[in-house]
Amino acid sequence: MIRMLGLLLVSVLALAGCETAAPQLGPDGKPLPKIYRIKPGDESRVTYSMLDSVNALRRAAGVPELTLDPLLTAAAATHSRDMSVQNRPWHFGSDGSSPVTRVQRTGYQGEMLGENISETYETEIETLSAWMELADTRAVILDPAARDVGFAWFQEPGGKLWWTMITGG
């Protein structure tokens, strides 16, 4: 009898170890996002992960690859931080500037062609995937006239990411 109780206790403990925690749900009943934390020193990895992924999509679509441009990247970084300050994802700066104005301020000599933005907790690849699902943001990524790209983000202390991609040609 003691052996049977011991075996039963071991079985219950083993099964308890198999239990997985249910994801935390938000007020809308959907799982809360997991925070993607970009650590210091990850900047190049994140940037080139996005650039390589964009160029793979462009190759598959038969359009020229993009070159990372530091001036477009500066305009993207400025806007990512500014969206955080405004606490809203939109294409206008807190000073009323448009994407074209922000790009001109950097001294970029080409034409600003498009801008994609996002407010999320997702990775750069998940963000790119979301952009590819919508016709207007996909068109920015696959624009055959584009030759240059700037890409940047701003991460708040709580983990929220503000992504900006700007294309030019």
Side-chain angles (χ1 to χ4, degrees):
M1 182 72 160
I2 292 178
R3 273 190 200 174
M4 189 70 91
L5 286 175
L7 184 58
L8 181 61
L9 181 61
V10 168
S11 298
V12 168
L13 289 174
L15 287 174
C18 294
E19 192 174 319
T20 59
Q24 288 186 309
L25 301 179
D28 60 358
K30 295 181 180 178
L32 292 174
K34 293 181 181 177
I35 295 175
Y36 174 59
R37 186 74 61 188
I38 300 175
K39 300 177 191 102
D42 282 349
E43 291 85 3
S44 289
R45 179 193 58 77
V46 171
T47 298
Y48 286 99
S49 171
M50 177 63 90
L51 180 63
D52 292 345
S53 298
V54 165
N55 281 333
L57 292 166
R58 289 178 64 86
R59 277 191 305 274
V63 295
E65 292 186 6
L66 299 177
T67 301
L68 188 64
D69 185 273
L71 298 175
L72 292 178
T73 297
T78 297
H79 192 55
S80 291
R81 182 176 294 274
D82 192 43
M83 285 190 297
S84 171
V85 169
Q86 296 182 71
N87 196 34
R88 64 178 169 180
W90 75 323
H91 294 282
F92 295 95
S94 55
D95 63 355
S97 61
S98 70
V100 172
T101 303
R102 287 192 301 277
V103 167
Q104 288 171 343
R105 287 177 184 165
T106 68
Y108 180 72
Q109 295 300 304
E111 178 184 5
M112 183 275 190
L113 297 174
E115 179 180 72
N116 287 341
I117 58 173
S118 182
E119 167 195 17
T120 185
Y121 290 89
E122 296 177 329
T123 70
E124 65 279 3
I125 301 306
E126 291 169 318
T127 300
L128 177 58
S129 294
W131 285 338
M132 288 299 289
E133 290 177 10
L134 300 172
D136 59 339
T137 51
R138 182 175 52 250
V140 170
I141 294 164
L142 300 179
D143 183 350
R147 296 294 178 265
D148 302 315
V149 66
F151 172 68
W153 64 91
F154 178 75
Q155 187 160 38
E156 296 178 352
K160 185 189 293 185
L161 285 154
W162 301 86
W163 301 99
T164 306
M165 172 190 286
I166 302 173
T167 58

